[in-house]
Amino acid sequence: AASIWRQTENLSLVIMGAALVSLPLLVIQYDVFLSFENNPILMRVGLVVALGVTILRVLLEPIMIGSLGALAGAALPSRIPAIVATVGVSGAYFILINLARLAPLDPGARVLVEIVLPVVLPLVISALALLGALFLLRRE
């Protein structure tokens, strides 16, 4: 947490970059699914929510990775394997969460994959990783 806090200024640049870069992509993506001419209000609401989720992911996912690092550090005997395990698990998470978006989904499943899971999964994974690290550290 302390190492993330020191990088808050850099994180604000990442948040601004994510908002600016993802907005055109979100407009294109949601226009395909919702059609701006047919659903102008739903399209705008979808864009605002999706942009909010994008910005929230930038805040939640570093905390999740830090929590996974704490778990790996508590579970493994040395630093290098803990770093490798954290990078491997984090990479697998990002690959799976983004590959799910490419699947042909109905609108309800698309909302789940693009809006609900990217917010809920980092919270759940962070909590479970911190509880696991706490358990491992108290056990010794």
Side-chain angles (χ1 to χ4, degrees):
S3 65
I4 291 172
W5 186 253
R6 286 192 303 251
Q7 301 299 325
T8 302
E9 293 84 15
N10 297 338
L11 192 58
S12 66
L13 292 173
V14 172
I15 291 171
M16 287 182 1
L20 291 174
V21 171
S22 65
L23 188 58
L25 297 172
L26 290 172
V27 169
I28 293 168
Q29 180 180 4
Y30 279 85
D31 189 41
V32 169
F33 297 114
L34 298 175
S35 177
F36 188 71
E37 289 90 25
N38 298 337
N39 302 310
I41 294 175
L42 187 60
M43 171 83 169
R44 289 182 177 123
V45 169
L47 283 175
V48 169
V49 171
L51 188 60
V53 167
T54 300
I55 293 170
L56 195 57
R57 280 183 74 179
V58 172
L59 298 171
L60 292 176
E61 287 170 348
I63 295 169
M64 178 190 71
I65 293 170
S67 301
L68 289 171
L71 177 63
L76 297 170
S78 63
R79 185 176 181 178
I80 299 299
I83 292 171
V84 170
T86 303
V87 169
V89 170
S90 301
Y93 167 80
F94 287 117
I95 288 170
L96 291 175
I97 198 81
N98 288 314
L99 278 180
R101 298 174 76 187
L102 299 176
L105 302 169
D106 60 49
R110 184 153 305 280
V111 167
L112 178 72
V113 166
E114 292 190 12
I115 294 177
V116 177
L117 286 180
V119 173
V120 172
L121 279 180
L123 293 172
V124 170
I125 291 170
S126 297
L128 291 175
L130 289 175
L131 287 172
L134 186 63
F135 171 77
L136 291 173
L137 291 173
R138 284 187 176 168
R139 184 182 63 159
E140 294 178 3

